[in-house]
Amino acid sequence: MNQAKKLIPAVLLVLVAALGLTACGSGGTTNGGGAQAGSAAVPTIVIRNGEPVGGIEKLEYSAGEDIRFRVKSDIAEEVHFHGYELMKDVPAGGTVSFDVPAEIEGIFEVELEGEKEQIAEITVNP
């Protein structure tokens, strides 16, 4: 029993360290908005002056996963997720979220419709 009491703090320390590393994440988007697809954080594409900060965001998913991303924009625009034919309006200074099952495989463009500016490339693998 005495050995078990000594082991508990060590086990707790390992768990806390593991949770801390998980919370930090390992990858990131080029726009600094979140972790890579498939992790807990949702990637955010930041739009400044009608263009994606850091260039076109490339996001990759596997069929059956949820395609999740946000668009934060300093201008009011319609965001069009081609192929999945989803369109959402983002207000100036606002954020819009996309969350859809990855049911169609291929490579898809996300565009600021009025600006005709590609902001993301979504790849859905089999």
Side-chain angles (χ1 to χ4, degrees):
M1 187 66 144
N2 196 17
Q3 255 184 337
K5 285 183 180 178
K6 289 180 182 177
L7 218 91
I8 291 173
V11 170
L12 287 174
L13 181 61
V14 169
L15 287 173
V16 169
L19 288 173
L21 288 174
T22 302
C24 289
S26 59
T29 64
T30 56
N31 294 335
Q36 293 174 338
S39 67
V42 177
T44 300
I45 302 161
V46 178
I47 306 301
R48 199 169 295 132
N49 299 320
E51 296 182 357
V53 174
I56 296 169
E57 187 74 28
K58 295 185 184 278
L59 302 173
E60 195 168 327
Y61 300 86
S62 295
E65 286 184 320
D66 286 334
I67 299 171
R68 298 177 67 210
F69 64 94
R70 291 186 288 242
V71 177
K72 180 179 179 180
S73 180
D74 65 346
I75 64 168
E77 238 311 356
E78 179 181 62
V79 180
H80 183 183
F81 182 4
H82 290 268
Y84 281 75
E85 296 313 314
L86 296 172
M87 290 161 266
K88 295 188 178 189
D89 291 327
V90 61
T95 302
V96 65
S97 296
F98 288 81
D99 188 350
V100 60
E103 296 175 340
I104 307 168
E105 297 170 12
I107 299 173
F108 307 96
E109 181 178 297
V110 179
E111 171 185 47
L112 296 179
E113 197 67 16
E115 295 286 320
K116 303 214 181 312
E117 179 75 30
Q118 182 177 355
I119 62 172
E121 178 181 282
I122 309 286
T123 301
V124 178
N125 297 311

